[in-house]
Every structure is written in C-alpha cells, then in structure tokens.
Amino acid sequence: MDTLGDLEQLVLLAVLQVGSDAYGIPVQTEIRRRAHRDLTLGTIYKTLARLEAKGLVTSRVGEPTAERGGRAKRYYVVTAAGRRALRHSLAAIQRMAAGLDVGLETP
Amino acid sequence: MTHPPRPEPPRLALRLLERVLDPAARDAIVGDLVERFQHDVSERGDGAARRHFWWEALVAVRYFGAMSALFSTNTQGVSVSSFFADMRYGLRTLRRAPAFALLCVITLALAIGPTTAIVSVVDPLLVRPLPYDHPDRLAFVWERDADGGPVTTGYATLLDLRASVTSLSSIAATSFWTTTLSDPTAPEKLEGASVTWNYFRTLGVRPAIGRDFTADEDQPGKTHVVLLTHALWERRFASDSSIVGRTIPLDGRPSTVIGVLPASFDDVVRVGSQIFKPLGYAVTQPWACRSCRHLMAVARIRDGISRERALDELNRISARLVRDHPTEYPAAGMYLDPIQRDVMKRARPALLAILGAVSLVLLIAIVNVVNLQLARAVRRDDEFAVRVALGAGAGRLTQQLIAEGLVLSLAGGVLGIALGRATLPMIVARLPHTLPRIDAIALDWRVLVIVMAIVAAIALIVGVLPARGARRRAIAAGSLRGAGRVSAAGHHRTRATLVVAEVSLALLLLVSAGLLAGSLTRLLAVDPGFDPSDLVTMQIEASGPSYPHDADVLRHRHRVLDAVRAIAGVTDVAISTEIPLAGKIDRYGITAEDRPIANPELAPYAQGYRVVGDYVRTMRLHLVAGRDLTDADERDTVNAVALISASLAKTLWGSEQVIGKRVHIPNARRQWSTVVGVVADVHHNSLDEDDGRAVYLPESGWGWASSDAVLVARTRGNAAAIARAIRAAVASIDPSQPITDIRAMDAVVSSSTAQRQLALTLFAAFALLALLLSAAGIYGILAGSVAERTREIGLRSALGATPANLLRMVLSRGMALTGLGIVIGLAGSVGATRYLGTLLYGIGATDPWVLGGAALTLLAIAALACVIPARRAIGIDPMVALRE
C-alpha cells in the first residue's frame, strides 16, 4: 500500500474533522486553524483529486448557492480505505517517535 | 429592500478560470474561490481579497488548467517539468546578475508597454469586426460626384434602388439629427440620427428592451417615437426599466420612447449618436428629392453574392437613373464600400504608421536584450562547458536559455502590460473624437493574448540566438578550462550586426518623428483666413414651442447679440450657422446667373454661412472687394445679397469683376442673390486641404432659420471670465436653451489637427525610446569588448599606447558601428517614410534638414554612449591587467 504524503494526511484529517460539510473552504479553514498551514484551494483540490484517484475519498456534487455565483459545491467523504491508510500512516509515525524523550511522543 | 452591491472578484482572473479550468473541477473550485473572496472582503478588505483571489486563481490554473496534462509529458530530456526547473534555475542565476536582469526587464517593459497600448487601440478600430450581424456583408452605398468621388444620396434615389435592386437584401439610410432634451432643470443637446425604419434591421441589431421602429412610423408626421442608446438610458434615465412607453420632451414636444438599444451597439455610421427617430420622409417633400443628397445609405449584400456583382447591378441602375433624370445627377455610377474599411478610411494610414513605429521600438528592444544575453553568454562559457561535459545535450542547453529568456520576457511583459494600461487612457484622450469605436478600445483578453504571444516569441528569440553560439563554443572547447579562450570572432560579428540594425531602426523612427514635427509646425503656421486669437465660440440654440416661427428664432439671435455686446471686454460678436475647422460641413451648388449650366448638379459647391451680426469683422476676414453685410441687408425683404469667397468668384467668373452679379443659392429665400462683396478664402474643412469656396448671407435671407448656431465673440482681457459672462448673458435670454461646446477658437483650430498631433506625440516618444535603447546597445557592446580585451588593452598601454590612442580605439569602433547604422537607416528611411504619406504636410519625405538632423542627433548620442567604456579602457592598469 502507498504511504500517505504529508499533504494527503492533512487533507484527509481535515475532511474527517469537518464531517458532513466537507468541501474546499471548510477543509482549508480547518487546516489553517489546527495545523497553522495556509494551503491554497488549488493545492487542496489537487490533493483531493489524488486521494479520490486512489479510492481514499469519494465526492458528490452539492447544491449551487448564490454566494458562489450559482456554482455547485463538491463534498468529500473519507472511505474505509482512506481511514485505513490514515491509521497506517499515523501508526508509523507513532512507532517512529516512540521512546524518543524529546517531547515527540504522542499523548 | 435593496442589497448593497456585492463585491466582485477580479473579472480577468475569473474569466481566466472559467476558460482554462478543467470542466470537471471548475464549478467546485471557482465556487470556492468566489465564496472565499466574499469572506475575505468582509474580513481583510477589498484589496487584500483581490490579491489573494489572483494568487489562488493562478495556483488553481497551474493544477487544473487545460494545459496541465502537458506538465507530465517528457521527450528526450527536453520536458515541461525540466523546463520549470530551468525557469527556477534561470531565476536564480538572474538574481545573481541583478543589473543585467533589471536592464533586460526594463528594456522589454518600455517596448511592450506602448505595444500593448497601441494594439489595444488598433485591434477594435481596424481588426475586430464591427458589433453588427455579419458585418462583412454591410456596405455603404455612395453616388458618384462630378469629381468622381463618393457623395451621399437623396431619398428619391434610395426608393428607386430599393425597388429594383436584387443583390442587396436591404438598404437603409440615415440623416443628421440633433435634438434638445427639454428637461427644465438640465436641458441637454443630444447628438442623434434619423433613420429609415429598417436601419437597425439592416445592421442586424435588435433593441435590448422594447421594440424597433415600424414601417408605419417612418412616415411624415408619425415620427414622435425614439430609440435610446444604452449609455443615454443609463446616464439620463437611471436605467429605468419602465422607460418603454414613457414620453420625454424633445425640443419641447413629447416623444415616446419605444426601446433601448443593446449596450454593445455602437453607431459607426453616425458616430456619437445617442438617440434615434424615424426619418419619416415622403418623396413628395421638397427635401426628399434626388439632388437633396444628404442621406448616408448603408446596405446588406445578399448572402452568396459578391460585392463586385452587387456593385455591377448598382452601376446599371445608376446608368438608367441618369438617363431618366439627366439634370439631377452629376455623374453615373455608384460605390459600394465595405463599412469597416470606409469608416476607418481617414484614420487607417495614421494608425498603421503608429503600429509600424511601435513595432520598430519592440524590435529594437528585442535586439538590445539579445545583445545583452549574447554578452552574458560569453561570460558563462565555463558554465555551459561544464553542463555539456556532464552530458547536457544541445537541446537541453537551448531549453535552459529559452527558460531564462521566458523569465525575462515574462517579467518585462507583466511590467509592460501595467505600463500599457497606464498609458492607454492618455492615448485614447487624444484620439479625434469623431473616430468611430473609441468606446471599444480596452486592454482586454484579445490584447493580452496578442501581447503574451509576443512575450513568448521574445523568449524564443532571446533564448535561441545566444544558445547557438554558446553551444558551438562549449562543444568546440572540449576541455573545461579552454572554453573561455576559444575565439569569439563570430560572436562579435553577430553583436556588431545587431547594434548596426538597432541604430538604423532608431534613425528611421527619428526621421519619421522629425518629418511629423515639421509637418505640424508648417500646418499650424498656415493662415486659416481668419484670426483665431481672443475668439470665444459657443453653440447656442433656439428651439421648442417658444420658437414656432423663423421670426422668433431671429428675435432670439438679436437679443443674444445685444446682451453679449453690452459685456465689457467683448469687442465684436456675431452668430453663424457654421464656423471654420469645427468639423461641420454644409455645402451648396452655386450657379451664376450669367453662366447657366445644363445640369445644375454640376454647379461648383461652396460652404454656406448664414450669419447674424458682424461676422466678417468678428472673425477678421479680409474683405477683398465690395462691402460687408449690414443690418439693412438683414432687414431687406426684397433684395437678397451675399458675400462670396475669392475662390468661388474665380471658379464662377474667372478674373472678371464680380460685384453686382447675381448667383443662385439653393434654399435661399430668393431665386437670385446679388454679390455685394468678396472675402479672402477661409480654411473650413482642415488646414491642409480646402478649396476655399464659400458663400455668406444673412440668416433672414435663407428659406428657414436654423434652430442651432454658433456664437463667436472677439474679446479683450481675461478670456475665461468674459466667456463666463457671455454664457450668463446668453442664458439670461432663455434659460431653457442649452449652451454647449464653449471653446476658444485657438482650441478649435488646434483640435482640427488632433490626429497629426497624436501621431507626432507617439512618434516622438517612440523615437526617444529608440534613441535610448540604441545608445544602451552601443554602450553594451563597447563595454563588453573593453572588458573582454582588458589584457590586450593592458598590453597596448604597457607597450606605450597613450590614453588618446586608447580613446581613439574605442571611439572609432563605436562610431564605425553607428556610422554604418546611420547609412543603412538613411537608405531605409527614404523608402519607409513614404508610408507616412497623408500625415505629411509641406515637407518632403526626404527633407535634407530632417535627415541630417536625425543623423547628427544619433551620432551625438552614440558618442556619449562611447565615453564610459572609453574611460574605462584608459583607466586599465597595465600591471593588473597583465597579471590576471
């Protein structure tokens, strides 16, 4: 199985954090709020497209709103495979950090 | 309930996204960006939000643009992804040579800026199709005049054409119409046109709201319906969507608005028209006759029929009409001129000349940057040799230089487009306002695409040319250290050739600018036939229900004259239907009583002035013979009198004594008018060409009184203050009448040369740029060669060369290049300046003073450019140079 890249991890986690309303903007806001990283929407969508191609997220087209000039949103959901991949990646990190007494252990 | 206007994201960025984004991803991304933008505006303000939007948009385009598929292609080591790596590398190396990079970028920006502006102007005027349906099928229909030139047509002829022509699917006509929007608080004079009912159908334009005219409305007495342009509707009626069906007061009488034309509509037939009404002619009316040629006819050529075939048919019909009505046509034959070419006929040569000039500037700038790159490439031979030794192929090396070129040209392009955007309004403001399509001039997508294509071409040229030499040398060198010492003779020859080319192009521009300056000076020195200094002019009017009869209009004129005369500082005042050089033409065929001609259509045409007050004295016309018009002439209802110009006298009677002879002036109240005086010719149409034929008669002697006229007043003292006093005095007679176009006569004269002044300003600016760039070029090549020959120069001075010797060495090389460039440029300019053609006046395209002056200027600038390298050569310490 592919390992997840840093961006892929961030985006997958953000989609999970946002929940049912996960389209570009909340995902971007979530990453900014929690990870203090300013990703452009283009980057986020590029990552989501890659994740979708790997089958780690699925998407559906939502309703158009006036605020968006009549354009529809695209909502993303993390698939079971996505959750599995995340678990693997995070577990790998935790194992790598284990035993290092430099404040790197996960709580 | 009203909403505050929602802030709009940058339109250009939005259009870019809509256009290039992968459709599958488009809605989600663009929607998010717009949503984010709305959010950013409220949190961070408009400017920050816009900047952020652009940044986001560019990233999105990079990832999801239609071309993103290309980013992964890879062929033979020359690939798009390595190209980006090259661009990054290029950026780094350029950062290490900031002076070089800055010089290149500024040079390119200085040329791309004006190019952007000029392309923005030329594209809608000469290239882009007019905003009508299939504009290529539209053509003007002109009759043939006695002199073989085109002339407008009469209503009876139009009906005949419409009845018999088969190769035109429709033919419409239009006449001048000005009207006053009699709003009691802000009366306004509106430029308009009266049109046959099928005018907009012929153009293929449909009203945006409301309806078009009907055939029924195009009849006498039924014409109180109007169509408004979108701009007028916005400006005067606040885009009121309930306007259709409303009545508005025009000239004091109600007219019904039946529709509003689309915003994209722009009338090139009657430039500046804001309001339209039906023509409403019937062939029984005296002004609807065959010889009443005041209608402009525009036709749509039937699909599948060539213009030539349609013209053939028109010519056949014309021959028949002339046979049937021999005294009503000056000549047989017609014209069918494509509409776009026709409306730009006068401006086209000037626009093309300006486009040519800016292309030269661009060329010079490119040559300059190539030269700088060449010089730098030589200094980088070691670097290239390393890359070749490490396995870089020839293509890879070229790719790297093209990538660097792209970095430079993109930076220059972005800066240049900003510069073009800043200069465009200045150019537009100086365009003659009679030019069609001015409103369509904009730095839009089409322009950006063209400029970006130029930028890409520059990148290729700037990259490929230096790469050729660099590759050869790097491969020839074989060993790393030897690379720097391979002979660079071929390279020097290339650079020298480029500098020579630059100098010759700069000379071409300098000569052109000189010729235009000479033309304008000579033109403004032409005696217009009147004294334009201290003369105030303004358009006045007497129309509406308060002026039902001619006598009422004339009474208004006299009361105005009396009021203005009473103002201290006004020495003379008159009112005339026309003034010279204001762009209006009103000509009539004049026949002499003792020289009858069989076909009155062949009578010589003369400009008519109908005057009240002391026109001759106010304008300071020169009375050549006889006497001036008097108040008594004005009141005389039995005898009609007229003044004629010297040229008209000569045309009618040769050198005979003319005072007391009688002439027929069409539309005059009497059949014959007695010539009581002759005045010297006045330039009416333009300073450079005019036949000078004119006739002056009292307004009361005309068939009807004109509702609008021009007041001219000779002033003494503070002209602006007096003009204000005059305006107040005129307004006090009847405040409901508009007063417009208050101008000094000097300004009228000057603006009649607007097209030339614009051409001169641009050419002068371009010539200056070219001069600077070629000086930089000369400097660059000499500085480079001094640097490369440091060791040789050191050796020379060690062997006893004096500073004077060294100075001569550098100077002679610079001057030789300049001299060669000047010789080639002079030869070229003899051929090329002929294209300035109609812009030149009173000066030959090979004027020796201009040619000589330009050559000397260039030589002097070149000498200055030699000074710094020469001083550096003298300053070389032989010991340091030799030890290196």
Side-chain angles (χ1 to χ4, degrees):
Chain A
M1 179 198 274
D2 274 353
T3 46
L4 292 176
D6 164 44
L7 279 179
E8 290 173 329
Q9 287 180 18
L10 277 179
V11 171
L12 272 177
L13 286 167
V15 170
L16 285 171
Q17 290 284 5
V18 173
S20 64
D21 191 34
Y23 66 102
I25 293 203
V27 170
Q28 186 188 34
T29 316
E30 203 63 23
I31 293 173
R32 184 180 301 161
R33 204 163 61 82
R34 290 175 181 266
H36 307 291
R37 289 200 42 189
D38 244 333
L39 300 186
T40 61
L41 286 161
T43 308
I44 289 169
Y45 275 104
K46 185 76 193 169
T47 310
L48 282 168
R50 204 159 54 225
L51 290 171
E52 192 163 20
K54 291 183 185 174
L56 305 183
V57 296
T58 56
S59 70
R60 66 177 171 85
V61 176
E63 70 290 356
T65 65
E67 194 187 17
R68 302 160 60 85
R71 295 174 188 88
K73 295 173 181 171
R74 184 176 281 272
Y75 291 106
Y76 289 84
V77 179
V78 179
T79 62
R83 285 170 186 273
R84 221 164 25 240
L86 255 182
R87 239 185 343 262
H88 280 293
S89 287
L90 294 179
I93 299 248
Q94 278 170 354
R95 280 193 300 273
M96 287 306 294
L100 297 174
D101 190 19
V102 283
L104 283 171
E105 310 85 353
T106 41
Chain B
M1 174 177 157
T2 58
H3 297 275
R6 186 191 285 282
E8 294 276 339
R11 254 209 346 254
L12 204 61
L14 207 53
R15 298 259 303 266
L16 175 77
L17 289 168
E18 298 280 6
R19 220 167 258 218
V20 308
L21 239 46
D22 180 0
R26 190 194 302 146
D27 258 25
I29 298 180
V30 180
D32 277 11
L33 291 188
V34 171
E35 195 179 326
R36 165 106 271 156
F37 174 79
Q38 307 292 356
H39 184 73
D40 284 352
V41 169
S42 54
E43 289 221 328
R44 303 202 281 165
D46 200 44
R50 293 175 75 85
R51 276 194 298 280
H52 188 68
F53 190 92
W54 263 110
W55 170 240
E56 287 268 18
L58 291 176
V59 172
V61 167
R62 161 89 165 86
Y63 287 143
F64 290 95
M67 294 178 306
S68 60
L70 288 175
F71 290 128
S72 54
T73 57
N74 192 334
T75 47
Q76 300 167 355
V78 180
S79 72
V80 177
S81 61
S82 69
F83 190 72
F84 276 104
D86 279 335
M87 279 184 74
R88 274 193 295 274
Y89 179 73
L91 212 53
R92 271 208 310 277
T93 57
L94 289 174
R95 209 176 290 152
R96 280 202 300 272
F100 163 81
L102 201 65
L103 197 57
C104 289
V105 169
I106 289 178
T107 302
L108 289 175
L110 283 177
I112 292 174
T115 306
T116 307
I118 299 302
V119 168
S120 306
V121 172
V122 169
D123 177 51
L125 267 49
L126 297 188
V127 183
R128 205 182 315 163
L130 295 174
Y132 309 132
D133 184 33
H134 289 94
D136 51 316
R137 306 301 297 167
L138 291 171
F140 283 114
V141 178
W142 304 104
E143 292 184 34
R144 193 183 291 270
D145 208 351
D147 63 4
V151 63
T152 42
T153 190
Y155 191 67
T157 308
L158 183 80
L159 290 189
D160 284 343
L161 287 178
R162 205 182 268 169
S164 45
V165 75
T166 60
S167 51
L168 304 178
S169 58
S170 72
I171 173 165
T174 145
S175 176
F176 280 116
W177 176 49
T178 55
T179 186
T180 302
L181 182 62
S182 344
D183 180 328
T185 51
E188 182 183 346
K189 194 160 167 158
L190 300 175
E191 290 291 330
S194 53
V195 299
T196 54
W197 67 276
N198 62 347
Y199 180 68
F200 296 107
R201 288 174 177 85
T202 303
L203 297 179
V205 172
R206 242 180 280 225
I209 55 175
R211 60 170 178 87
D212 201 347
F213 297 126
T214 62
D216 189 52
E217 283 159 345
D218 189 9
Q219 285 177 39
K222 298 199 172 171
T223 62
H224 294 302
V225 287
V226 290
L227 280 167
L228 311 179
T229 58
H230 202 269
L232 178 66
W233 176 58
E234 263 178 2
R235 185 168 59 77
R236 283 302 302 239
F237 304 101
S239 304
D240 177 5
S241 54
S242 66
I243 187 88
V244 173
R246 244 176 71 189
T247 55
I248 57 172
L250 294 177
D251 298 327
R253 279 177 286 271
S255 278
T256 307
V257 177
I258 61 163
V260 177
L261 292 160
S264 62
F265 174 72
D266 185 4
D267 199 341
V268 301
V269 181
R270 299 282 179 202
V271 178
S273 291
Q274 308 172 72
I275 187 166
F276 299 85
K277 71 163 186 175
L279 188 65
Y281 279 10
V283 77
T284 47
Q285 291 167 323
W287 52 83
C289 69
R290 280 173 203 290
S291 57
C292 309
R293 286 188 189 84
H294 61 276
L295 299 178
M296 277 176 88
V298 55
R300 181 170 288 279
I301 303 171
R302 203 176 283 285
D303 283 340
I305 290 185
S306 72
R307 193 178 62 85
E308 291 70 25
R309 238 182 80 195
L311 179 60
D312 272 350
E313 189 194 6
L314 286 177
N315 279 330
R316 278 198 305 279
I317 296 173
S318 163
R320 197 187 73 218
L321 290 177
V322 173
R323 211 161 44 240
D324 294 348
H325 311 275
T327 61
E328 303 203 65
Y329 291 98
M334 305 205 90
Y335 289 90
L336 190 64
D337 290 344
I339 178 165
Q340 182 152 23
R341 211 171 67 199
D342 200 282
V343 295
M344 292 299 169
K345 201 165 40 190
R346 288 176 72 90
R348 193 184 174 86
L351 288 172
L352 288 181
I354 292 168
L355 189 64
V358 85
S359 313
L360 289 188
V361 172
L362 192 60
L363 207 56
I364 294 176
I366 294 173
V367 168
N368 233 346
V369 173
V370 167
N371 235 337
L372 288 168
Q373 265 289 37
L374 279 174
R376 187 157 162 271
V378 170
R379 289 198 293 279
R380 293 168 68 187
D381 274 351
D382 283 357
E383 175 199 334
F384 293 141
V386 170
R387 300 193 64 154
V388 169
L390 291 179
R396 206 60 194 70
L397 216 53
T398 309
Q399 183 190 322
Q400 187 202 332
L401 280 168
I402 292 178
E404 283 186 32
L406 195 60
V407 170
L408 290 175
S409 64
L410 268 180
V414 169
L415 206 60
I417 288 169
L419 187 67
R421 202 185 149 125
T423 45
L424 185 58
M426 296 184 236
I427 297 177
V428 172
R430 284 170 177 76
L431 287 170
H433 63 277
T434 50
L435 203 63
R437 300 297 286 146
I438 289 187
D439 290 342
I441 295 173
L443 210 173
D444 56 11
W445 259 105
R446 288 172 57 101
V447 176
L448 283 182
V449 168
I450 296 171
V451 173
M452 279 303 151
I454 294 174
V455 165
I458 293 175
L460 276 179
I461 299 169
V462 170
V464 169
L465 281 183
R468 278 178 44 206
R471 211 166 57 221
R472 213 179 39 236
R473 287 192 305 279
I475 294 166
S479 86
L480 297 185
R481 286 311 312 160
R485 279 160 213 150
V486 170
S487 153
H491 152 87
H492 279 299
R493 206 157 37 240
T494 315
R495 294 195 61 196
T497 312
L498 290 175
V499 166
V500 169
E502 217 174 346
V503 169
S504 56
L505 293 176
L507 185 80
L508 195 60
L509 281 173
L510 213 52
V511 169
S512 305
L515 290 174
L516 289 174
S519 298
L520 197 63
T521 318
R522 282 169 178 73
L523 195 62
L524 289 173
V526 166
D527 176 10
F530 58 91
D531 177 5
S533 52
D534 303 319
L535 210 52
V536 171
T537 78
M538 60 188 75
Q539 188 87 30
I540 63 163
E541 178 139 356
S543 68
S546 320
Y547 304 92
H549 305 295
D550 287 352
D552 303 307
V553 175
L554 289 175
R555 195 171 309 119
H556 177 263
R557 299 265 148 94
H558 282 287
R559 289 179 60 196
V560 165
L561 285 181
D562 290 341
V564 174
R565 232 177 247 129
I567 297 168
V570 172
T571 55
D572 291 296
V573 61
I575 297 171
S576 169
T577 49
E578 305 285 341
I579 54 168
L581 298 176
K584 284 225 216 139
I585 296 169
D586 191 17
R587 286 162 77 83
Y588 300 92
I590 310 291
T591 18
E593 187 184 25
D594 54 354
R595 300 280 158 89
I597 45 177
N599 182 357
E601 288 310 303
L602 296 176
Y605 272 68
Q607 172 65 35
Y609 300 86
R610 288 119 68 184
V611 304
V612 184
D614 306 321
Y615 184 75
V616 169
R617 203 168 69 221
T618 308
M619 296 292 284
R620 300 218 176 112
L621 305 185
H622 313 294
L623 198 60
V624 178
R627 64 168 179 86
D628 193 359
L629 298 173
T630 64
D631 283 354
D633 296 327
E634 171 94 12
R635 287 188 300 271
D636 193 336
T637 52
V638 182
N639 305 300
V641 297
L643 301 179
I644 63 175
S645 72
S647 281
L648 181 60
K650 192 153 174 277
T651 309
L652 289 175
W653 292 292
S655 55
E656 286 174 34
Q657 161 66 35
V658 303
I659 305 297
K661 287 182 188 283
R662 302 208 299 174
V663 288
H664 171 67
I665 308 168
N667 300 323
R669 205 175 279 277
R670 305 267 152 215
Q671 170 79 2
W672 300 106
S673 304
T674 307
V675 174
V676 295
V678 177
V679 292
D681 288 354
V682 161
H683 281 271
H684 186 88
N685 294 342
S686 64
L687 288 175
D688 56 340
E689 45 167 359
D690 209 284
D691 59 25
R693 295 199 293 257
V695 51
Y696 303 80
L697 65 164
E699 178 80 306
S700 62
W702 197 250
W704 60 86
S706 167
S707 61
D708 56 343
V710 188
L711 179 135
V712 283
R714 176 85 45 199
T715 60
R716 194 169 44 211
N718 181 347
I722 299 172
R724 274 196 299 278
I726 296 175
R727 191 190 189 289
V730 176
S732 73
I733 307 294
D734 181 351
S736 76
Q737 299 296 325
I739 301 165
T740 50
D741 238 8
I742 304 172
R743 293 199 288 172
M745 193 68 202
D746 282 324
V748 175
V749 174
S750 164
S751 68
S752 77
T753 63
Q755 184 177 317
R756 277 199 173 79
Q757 289 192 0
L758 177 68
L760 171 62
T761 311
L762 291 175
F763 266 88
F766 295 163
L768 193 68
L769 258 179
L771 210 54
L772 275 175
L773 290 178
S774 45
I778 295 167
Y779 165 78
I781 194 173
L782 292 180
S785 92
V786 167
E788 279 170 36
R789 292 162 69 193
T790 302
R791 204 178 318 201
E792 175 204 332
I793 293 169
L795 195 60
R796 278 172 190 265
S797 52
L799 294 177
T802 62
N805 293 141
L806 293 177
L807 186 70
R808 201 174 312 123
M809 187 183 87
V810 176
L811 261 180
S812 66
R813 175 152 167 76
M815 288 295 114
L817 294 178
T818 312
L820 190 58
I822 286 176
V823 170
I824 296 172
L826 283 178
S829 67
V830 168
T833 48
R834 219 166 291 154
Y835 293 102
L836 291 173
T838 52
L839 286 174
L840 297 187
Y841 174 79
I843 191 164
T846 55
D847 186 80
W849 289 103
V850 171
L851 293 183
L856 279 179
T857 311
L858 202 50
L859 219 51
I861 297 287
L864 275 178
C866 295
V867 166
I868 299 173
R871 286 182 51 158
R872 194 171 302 153
I874 295 168
I876 289 174
D877 180 342
M879 288 322 289
V880 175
L882 288 173
R883 220 175 279 133
E884 236 180 31

